[in-house]
Amino acid sequence: MNHGSMNSALDKITFNRSGSQDSLDELSLDDYWTEVENIKKSSDDNQEKQHVVVKEPDEGELEEEWLKEAGLSNLFGESSADSQDSMVFLSTLTKTQSAAVQKRIDTFTQTLRKKNKPHQIPDVRDVFKQPTSSKDKVEDLNGFQSTEKGEATSEELHEKSEGLVNENAEGAENKDKDIPVPETDINLEISFAEQASNLREFLTNSNEKEDDTLLPNYRLAQDKTGITKIGDLAPQDMKKVTSLALIELSALYDVLGTELKLQRPAKIKVKETGVFQVPLSILLELDQRKYPGTKVPLIFQNLIEQVEKGGLETEGVLRIPGVAARIKSLCMELEAKFYEGTFNWDSVKQHDAASILKFFIRELPIPLLTMKYMKAFHSVQYLPSKKHRLQALNLLVILLPDVHRDALKALLEFLQRIVDHREQNKMTLKNIAMIMAPNLFSFHTSPFKVLDQDALTSAARTASVMLFMIKYQKLLWTIPKFLVAQVRQQNQKKSSKERAMKKLLKRMAYDREKSEKTEKSPDNDSSPGFIRVQAPQFSKVSMAVQLTEDLKAGDILARFLNQERYGLLFFLLLLYFIKRNNMNALESLAFFLADSC
């Protein structure tokens, strides 16, 4: 690409100009295209380039993968009978979350029917069957009431949405004045999808449109219970939060009428040595062997530290590229000497370190935002309002693998420190977003061959997403309260069942022990009114029986049979638990045993 031709092409297209310093449009993307040109020049010097091939999933595979990631794979297949955990999980979902799950299950079920019965003639009653309402689907899915009160939620969201619309209207009137943008509270107590459902209905009725020229200063409302950040929860609870975040993100996109696509890259061979083109997970594993507790790969940390070492006041610290020949030589040296501990960082200049950092990010075989969620991050800009985009980014950050999330956090904090010195380095938030966007969004996997409207739109969208991540990064690592509340409900329901099961098992063991002590007591046989009955055909060969006037031989036989069944079921219970290590199966057998005994 020729940068001059880019500018001439851009001049021919008319766009709406923005009144906010931090907002983006295609006319202000000079830094973006300059960075693209630098990437293109540096990539021409590389010998080999491994392109990540994204496999297009077959029909139904996407939904199956989604259900597995959401922790609902036991709703289908061989393990469908063992779905107690899923029932507890589903009982805590909101209406919009349940609708999102039902939608994927319906699609997956229909796909299975097509695959298993490709030539089946449809029943005429099915063809003209009345469609089931979404409300009915939600009730059929979990059989429980929503965890949120509809009336109170609707009124609260109506007030929130009215305030947001009025605030944007005031911002539009004052956009050309030097008046600070008012702060807006983010509601983390109510499901984002539920908020979007009410807000969309309100905006449709009021015919209001959000002003797109201002970036609000969002803040978290003060709460006595505190704020839960990523890293505060135990791994098992964080796993539940991740499953809920995927369902919530899908529900949010469904409510807003935007398609959410998760990609599945084809398996590729990756390097396991060196520093470039090595997955972050492998780099972190190598680092943790030497420095346990490390969360971000050391090469990533060292490159950031080297840029900062030269001073963040340097003008154009990320914009000005290093010398190509010197960068290539330094990369080869890093590849060979970094893990040997013999690389001399004093020979790396600041602009070279910045260029190598961007090169490192671009060369990751699994992108920093992951190939799975890359399209999802890109599609955030299709959401109708800034608050929806922020909410979607919050959920996407939660969904990232730990090492990718931690590395992204380190990068965004570094970029914010550069923004904090913008008066000296002339690098505004907008400049940095445009420079980092083509690096973070894996430019090398899909280079622009023609500068058309699609390329311009894509550039603006990725730069805007990058800007959002830098500006609102402190909010992105917050776990919404409604997700924490849902996890707490799951734990409470599960623990109550486990307590009931343990109590039952303890009672069973106590009764058995008491019975055995009574029967083994030496005084029973010699005590008046007691006899010992022998029954070699049973596992319990003898039993002390007290004689009474109403005692019959059938009663004695029934006691032997009951003890036989009791012991057998107790043995099967323990054997099954040991073999499967499955609390749900243990619970079912325990209650069955209680009824039987």
Side-chain angles (χ1 to χ4, degrees):
M1 298 180 190
N2 181 274
H3 190 58
S5 61
M6 288 182 202
N7 292 333
S8 61
L10 289 169
D11 292 339
K12 296 178 181 179
I13 305 174
T14 302
F15 299 98
N16 293 326
R17 294 310 302 262
S18 169
S20 170
Q21 181 183 1
D22 289 335
S23 56
L24 291 174
D25 57 37
E26 286 80 349
L27 281 177
S28 62
L29 289 172
D30 287 349
D31 285 335
Y32 184 99
W33 297 117
T34 301
E35 183 67 18
V36 169
E37 182 68 15
N38 293 334
I39 294 173
K40 186 174 181 293
K41 289 179 180 178
S42 64
S43 62
D44 291 340
D45 298 330
N46 293 337
Q47 296 177 352
E48 293 185 3
K49 200 78 168 179
Q50 185 175 15
H51 295 277
V52 180
V53 180
V54 179
K55 180 183 177 183
E56 290 295 331
D58 296 333
E59 187 178 11
E61 286 186 353
L62 195 62
E63 286 73 21
E64 182 178 5
E65 188 73 20
W66 187 93
L67 289 168
K68 287 181 180 178
E69 189 172 349
L72 297 173
S73 58
N74 53 8
L75 292 180
F76 57 89
E78 297 179 356
S79 59
S80 58
D82 184 25
S83 57
Q84 290 295 324
D85 279 345
S86 293
M87 292 302 103
V88 172
F89 181 86
L90 291 172
S91 69
T92 64
L93 299 185
T94 64
K95 291 183 179 180
T96 50
Q97 290 174 349
S98 297
V101 174
Q102 186 68 60
K103 179 181 177 181
R104 273 77 187 173
I105 291 177
D106 289 345
T107 304
F108 177 72
T109 304
Q110 292 172 4
T111 305
L112 283 183
R113 289 174 180 172
K114 291 178 182 179
K115 290 181 178 179
N116 296 334
K117 299 179 181 180
H119 303 295
Q120 182 181 14
I121 300 175
D123 192 296
V124 67
R125 291 171 293 185
D126 293 334
V127 174
F128 295 98
K129 182 179 179 181
Q130 292 293 331
T132 306
S133 65
S134 59
K135 181 178 179 180
D136 295 336
K137 288 183 178 180
V138 172
E139 293 177 352
D140 292 341
L141 176 64
N142 54 33
F144 291 83
Q145 294 181 351
S146 173
T147 58
E148 300 175 11
K149 297 179 181 179
E151 294 181 359
T153 300
S154 177
E155 293 175 0
E156 183 177 354
L157 290 176
H158 189 280
E159 294 175 359
K160 292 282 185 180
S161 59
E162 185 175 6
L164 178 62
V165 172
N166 292 337
E167 179 182 282
N168 284 325
E170 293 173 3
E173 294 175 0
N174 298 322
K175 65 182 180 180
D176 294 325
K177 302 177 182 179
D178 295 330
I179 299 178
V181 179
E183 292 187 339
T184 304
D185 288 340
I186 289 292
N187 188 346
L188 299 180
E189 297 183 1
I190 301 176
S191 161
F192 295 155
E194 296 288 339
Q195 293 183 52
S197 179
N198 288 273
L199 181 61
R200 185 182 64 174
E201 181 180 354
F202 173 75
L203 291 178
T204 302
N205 295 334
S206 63
N207 292 323
E208 294 283 354
K209 187 177 180 181
E210 183 187 34
D211 175 39
D212 199 37
T213 62
L214 294 173
L215 283 179
N217 291 323
Y218 292 113
R219 67 180 180 185
L220 298 177
Q222 293 184 355
D223 195 323
K224 294 181 180 179
T225 60
I227 298 172
T228 305
K229 293 286 187 178
I230 295 175
D232 292 345
L233 299 178
Q236 58 269 28
D237 286 338
M238 191 61 199
K239 185 178 180 181
K240 296 175 184 177
V241 168
T242 302
S243 298
L244 287 168
L246 175 62
I247 297 175
E248 177 66 18
L249 180 67
S250 303
L252 179 63
Y253 272 65
D254 289 347
V255 168
L256 298 176
T258 304
E259 187 177 11
L260 174 65
K261 281 190 175 182
L262 305 181
Q263 300 182 104
R264 185 167 64 180
K267 293 183 179 180
I268 58 173
K269 291 183 179 180
V270 296
K271 290 173 56 182
E272 297 185 0
T273 58
V275 293
F276 299 104
Q277 297 181 348
V278 180
L280 287 174
S281 57
I282 294 179
L283 291 173
L284 185 63
E285 184 179 350
L286 293 172
D287 295 335
Q288 288 178 340
R289 292 176 185 174
K290 191 173 182 181
Y291 303 101
T294 304
K295 292 186 176 181
V296 179
L298 295 178
I299 179 64
F300 198 75
Q301 295 184 46
N302 291 159
L303 288 171
I304 290 177
E305 291 171 1
Q306 191 65 22
V307 177
E308 292 188 309
K309 185 178 178 181
L312 297 181
E313 299 83 6
T314 305
E315 185 172 344
V317 61
L318 287 178
R319 183 190 299 112
I320 301 174
V323 179
R326 188 167 61 238
I327 291 173
K328 183 177 180 181
S329 176
L330 288 171
C331 287
M332 293 175 63
E333 201 173 344
L334 275 169
E335 190 80 5
K337 298 181 179 180
F338 180 77
Y339 279 105
E340 293 180 358
T342 58
F343 181 78
N344 182 17
W345 284 100
D346 294 335
S347 62
V348 182
K349 297 182 179 181
Q350 185 181 34
H351 291 298
D352 293 342
S355 296
I356 295 173
L357 174 63
K358 292 186 287 185
F359 176 74
F360 173 84
I361 294 173
R362 293 196 307 272
E363 291 298 304
L364 288 172
I366 302 175
L368 189 57
L369 301 180
T370 73
M371 188 56 66
K372 186 171 190 176
Y373 297 112
M374 182 67 71
K375 272 191 175 180
F377 273 95
H378 186 277
S379 65
V380 164
Q381 276 302 107
Y382 292 103
L383 300 181
S385 75
K386 297 181 181 67
K387 188 169 77 169
H388 295 143
R389 296 166 200 167
L390 178 59
Q391 292 169 341
L393 285 173
N394 183 199
L395 297 171
L396 282 168
V397 166
I398 293 175
L399 287 170
L400 288 176
D402 292 346
V403 60
H404 288 258
R405 190 193 306 122
D406 292 336
L408 178 63
K409 188 173 188 293
L411 176 65
L412 295 180
E413 290 174 346
F414 163 66
L415 297 178
Q416 182 59 52
R417 290 194 291 271
I418 297 178
V419 175
D420 294 340
H421 294 80
R422 57 185 173 274
E423 293 184 1
Q424 294 83 20
N425 57 36
K426 309 302 180 185
M427 297 290 295
T428 65
L429 173 62
K430 184 169 59 177
N431 299 138
I432 295 173
M434 288 186 291
I435 290 171
M436 293 305 300
N439 292 283
L440 205 67
F441 282 86
S442 295
F443 172 82
H444 64 273
T445 59
S446 54
F448 298 125
K449 296 181 179 179
V450 180
L451 188 63
D452 56 9
Q453 181 64 51
D454 291 338
L456 296 169
T457 303
S458 179
R461 290 189 184 281
T462 55
S464 184
V465 172
M466 190 73 233
L467 185 145
F468 261 65
M469 287 195 291
I470 300 173
K471 182 175 178 64
Y472 300 121
Q473 58 180 285
K474 291 184 179 180
L475 302 177
L476 299 184
W477 267 259
T478 303
I479 301 179
K481 288 185 177 295
F482 68 89
L483 293 183
V484 177
Q486 287 178 295
V487 172
R488 187 178 295 115
Q489 290 177 21
Q490 293 177 27
N491 292 339
Q492 290 174 348
K493 291 184 178 183
K494 187 175 180 180
S495 62
S496 63
K497 289 189 175 183
E498 289 178 354
R499 284 196 300 268
M501 180 186 61
K502 289 178 181 179
K503 185 177 180 180
L504 175 63
L505 291 176
K506 186 177 181 180
R507 179 64 182 271
M508 289 166 53
Y510 174 78
D511 291 344
R512 182 177 178 84
E513 183 180 356
K514 183 179 179 181
S515 175
E516 290 178 351
K517 285 182 179 180
T518 303
E519 293 167 3
K520 290 180 180 180
S521 175
D523 297 334
N524 283 345
D525 293 340
S526 59
S527 299
F530 275 89
I531 62 171
R532 179 161 292 278
V533 180
Q534 302 291 330
Q537 67 271 30
F538 295 112
S539 59
K540 189 172 182 63
V541 296
S542 67
M543 180 184 299
V545 179
Q546 184 178 11
L547 296 175
T548 63
E549 294 180 358
D550 299 330
L551 183 65
K552 298 179 181 179
D555 297 334
I556 299 175
L557 178 61
R559 291 187 188 182
F560 275 100
L561 292 174
N562 188 53
Q563 288 289 340
E564 185 79 6
R565 181 175 58 177
Y566 185 93
L568 178 61
L569 288 176
F570 190 81
F571 173 75
L572 289 175
L573 170 67
L574 295 179
L575 181 64
Y576 194 84
F577 172 66
I578 293 172
K579 182 179 179 181
R580 291 287 301 277
N581 192 22
N582 191 311
M583 296 299 293
N584 295 325
L586 178 60
E587 178 186 346
S588 301
L589 285 174
F591 282 109
F592 173 74
L593 182 57
D595 294 337
S596 301
C597 298

